[in-house]
Every structure is written in C-alpha cells, then in structure tokens.
Amino acid sequence: MEAPQNFMAKQPAARLSILLLVLGTALVALSPIFVRLSELGPTATAFHRAFLALPILLIWLRAGNSQLHKTNTPLKQLSRRDYLLLGLAGLFFAGDLVTWHWSITLTSVANATLFANSAPIFVTLGAWLLFRERVTPLFLLALATALLGTLIVVGSSVQIDRNHILGDGIGVVTGMFWAAYQLTVKHLRERLSAATIMAWSSLVT
C-alpha cells in the first residue's frame, strides 16, 4: 500500500495533469472551427499549425533539458531506433493534420469529428496486432462507451450522403494516422520526454 505522504505528494501533479488534459481536449475540439475560418487552404493551414508552434516547442525543449527532465535521454545518446521513431511520429502527425484539414473542408465539421475520433479503434487494433498487447473485456467496454458518447454528442449533426463520401473516407484515414502517431509516441515515451518528442516530431511534420 502506498504511503500517505507519497500519495498526497502526487495529488497536485495529478490535478495538473487532469487540468491540462481537459484544456487540451477543449482546444482540439475547437480546432475544426478555426480550420473552417482560416483564409488559407487546408494543407497550408495544417503546415502553419505545426510551423508556428515549433519555436515554442524548441524553447520548451531547451528549458526542459536543462531543468525539468533530468532523466531525459540527451540528444547525443539517441539511438538509431529513436531517430527512426521520431521521424515516423512526425510523418504520422503530418498525415493526420493534412487528412484532418481536408476532411473538414470536404465534409461537415460533425462528420469530420466523428470519423477522426475512430482513432481509438485503430489504436486498440494496432496494440493488439502489432505489439501483442492484451486487450481486456473491461477496456473494450470502456472503448465502446466512449465511442457511443462521441456518436451521441455529434450524432444529430452528422450527415451521411454521397456528397460527403470523400470527406468521410479521409476522416477515417485521419483516425488511422492519429492512431499510428499515438502508438509511436507511446514507445518513444519510454525513453524520451514529451518536449523532445513534440519538438523533433513537429520539425519533421
């Protein structure tokens, strides 16, 4: 059983994590609206989303390597596998952004959101098929509940017709890219900090 002082020490970090998770979810939820409002094309908008964030990520990386992430693997000690996975993460994220932005343009925001949120299905399949991770019945129940919740939230606005087939299909591809990105990042996080992963994968993106 965990000591009470250790449990209490972790509480502020846990609260901060939940707060950041909620904030991140809200910002991601608003992104399709801003993409629609953007005066640039979908690919240019996707490019600038990564490009404009890069200076902030590099500053975070430098500050993190010197202060916050004492256990982070130094850049000079990265293995060939680390570089490969960082490159793959960047390519998968680029694929996610481009297909996501085109999907928003070619179908309704609700449709694009629904199909892009199919990512947990592909994460589960990838973890099971590629990495032989055990998927429990409880996890599958939770996954089904989450997907049902997504469908309920956007279901009333979803429009399934021939005019949206291409955009809907690209939305599913978005979910595949996002799943591949998450699986890659999961393995990178075993050795690297979030700042390292986000900065270098965003540079590749």
Side-chain angles (χ1 to χ4, degrees):
M1 185 174 178
E2 190 174 19
Q5 58 269 27
N6 292 339
F7 177 78
M8 293 302 294
K10 291 180 179 179
Q11 291 306 299
R15 292 193 189 98
L16 178 60
S17 298
I18 293 173
L19 177 62
L20 292 174
L21 179 63
V22 172
L23 177 61
T25 302
L27 293 175
V28 169
L30 291 172
S31 63
I33 298 173
F34 290 116
V35 171
R36 276 290 182 89
L37 294 175
S38 173
E39 297 179 359
L40 301 176
T43 304
T45 301
F47 169 82
H48 282 89
R49 282 184 65 179
F51 181 70
L52 294 174
L54 195 56
I56 299 173
L57 292 173
L58 291 175
I59 292 172
W60 180 29
L61 173 62
R62 185 172 180 82
N65 282 342
S66 61
Q67 298 177 14
L68 301 178
H69 302 288
K70 300 296 186 182
T71 60
N72 185 38
T73 304
L75 187 62
K76 61 183 179 181
Q77 294 183 15
L78 296 183
S79 66
R80 196 173 285 180
R81 179 177 179 271
D82 293 329
Y83 282 114
L84 175 62
L85 289 177
L86 284 170
L88 283 176
L91 291 175
F92 289 144
F93 190 48
D96 167 74
L97 284 179
V98 171
T99 54
W100 172 235
H101 287 67
W102 273 104
S103 176
I104 294 168
T105 304
L106 296 172
T107 188
S108 67
V109 171
N111 282 31
T113 302
L114 176 64
F115 290 111
N117 277 289
S118 63
I121 298 174
F122 299 113
V123 169
T124 304
L125 288 174
W128 178 53
L129 293 174
L130 299 177
F131 303 110
R132 301 302 178 186
E133 294 186 7
R134 183 171 174 268
V135 181
T136 64
L138 182 61
F139 175 83
L140 292 176
L141 177 61
L143 175 62
T145 304
L147 293 174
L148 179 61
T150 302
L151 184 60
I152 291 172
V153 170
V154 300
S156 60
S157 302
V158 171
Q159 302 171 2
I160 305 298
D161 58 49
R162 293 181 180 179
N163 296 328
H164 293 154
I165 287 178
L166 179 59
D168 294 345
I170 294 176
V172 174
V173 175
T174 299
M176 294 178 179
F177 273 119
W178 185 234
Y181 173 78
Q182 290 187 23
L183 289 171
T184 306
V185 167
K186 175 183 181 296
H187 287 274
L188 282 169
R189 283 295 282 137
E190 295 173 359
R191 280 172 49 81
L192 306 179
S193 69
T196 299
I197 296 168
M198 292 186 68
W200 290 106
S201 64
S202 293
L203 182 62
V204 173
T205 297

